Amino acid sequence: MLPEHFSTTRLRFRQLKPADKTHLLEFFSDPVATEFLFLQTLPEASADTWLNRQLNRYKNNTGGLHAVELADSGEFVGQCGLLYQWVDGIPKWEVSYHFLRRFWGQGYATEAAVAFRDFGFENEMAETLISLIHPENFRSQAVARRNGMAPWKETIWRGHPVIVFRIRREEWDRLKSST
């Protein structure tokens, strides 16, 4: 379903692998980067659980986060992907992104999110794509807006409040035809 490898001008994407635990540990050790994940385990356990969850998603065709690397150097900058989620009892494909804080503010999250949004629509995975974002996570909300999404509704997801941002295929078609 999702590609094992693909790229944009500045970024390349690949499935996570066990060797990425070092990068995930950097991410999970940063309380600012993980503020809205509401982690209840130590960074090493969080990294292990996270990595195993993605590997299982690949096997089960339920999407998964991909490593995001700089195309020119191969440096790991974060993760992005499409995740099969249940929201209010309805299955949805989510564009999800998490980046190492030292790479924030350089447009990588938006570039990656747009690439996965386009992949989802181009491969007819869904008529609607979403992003689940905490109401106080203004940086992620800005990425969702730059990805063509708008707030749709608020709900409780996995015990935490979220704003469900979404984009419909027809909105994406209009975006694509205007560029």
Side-chain angles (χ1 to χ4, degrees), residues 48-58 62-64 158:
D48 286 334
T49 300
W50 192 271
L51 181 59
N52 288 331
R53 184 178 303 135
Q54 303 323 309
L55 297 176
N56 284 330
R57 283 178 168 146
Y58 303 153
T62 55
R158 295 188 178 173

Side-chain angles (χ1 to χ4, degrees):
M1 182 174 300
L2 290 178
E4 192 168 328
H5 300 277
F6 74 108
S7 62
T8 65
T9 304
R10 299 187 305 158
L11 304 173
R12 66 181 182 218
F13 311 101
R14 61 166 174 78
Q15 291 183 350
L16 290 167
K17 56 189 177 189
D20 290 316
K21 182 179 173 184
T22 303
H23 306 300
L24 295 176
L25 192 53
E26 178 184 349
F27 174 73
F28 285 108
S29 295
D30 184 342
V32 175
T34 60
E35 176 181 8
F36 299 107
L37 294 180
F38 304 103
L39 302 172
Q40 297 185 3
T41 59
L42 295 174
E44 182 143 354
S46 293
D48 286 334
T49 300
W50 192 271
L51 181 59
N52 288 331
R53 184 178 303 135
Q54 303 323 309
L55 297 176
N56 284 330
R57 283 178 168 146
Y58 303 153
K59 286 180 201 170
N60 297 326
N61 285 326
T62 55
L65 292 169
H66 283 57
V68 180
E69 300 172 329
L70 297 179
D72 59 354
S73 68
E75 186 173 9
F76 184 101
V77 298
Q79 309 156 74
C80 188
L82 292 167
L83 308 177
Y84 194 72
Q85 305 282 26
W86 287 85
V87 180
D88 296 336
I90 300 169
K92 297 283 184 187
W93 281 103
E94 177 191 15
V95 178
S96 183
Y97 37 88
H98 307 280
F99 282 74
L100 299 175
R101 187 162 39 127
R102 59 191 164 102
F103 294 103
W104 288 5
Q106 298 177 55
Y108 297 137
T110 298
E111 186 173 333
V114 165
F116 277 95
R117 175 204 67 196
D118 290 351
F119 181 89
F121 284 131
E122 288 166 358
N123 290 279
E124 300 180 0
M125 292 175 66
E127 289 299 310
T128 301
L129 296 174
I130 65 165
S131 286
L132 302 168
I133 304 173
H134 189 277
E136 295 175 17
N137 190 344
F138 303 114
R139 287 180 165 275
S140 285
Q141 290 178 34
V143 170
R145 284 184 172 91
R146 288 191 297 270
N147 198 15
M149 295 183 169
W152 173 39
K153 66 178 182 176
E154 294 184 24
T155 191
I156 301 298
W157 186 75
R158 295 188 178 173
H160 299 284
V162 295
I163 300 172
V164 181
F165 280 75
R166 78 172 177 186
I167 184 170
R168 294 179 177 165
R169 176 177 294 283
E170 58 268 16
E171 295 163 334
W172 174 74
D173 285 336
R174 282 193 297 274
L175 278 175
K176 295 302 274 184
S177 65
S178 69
T179 57

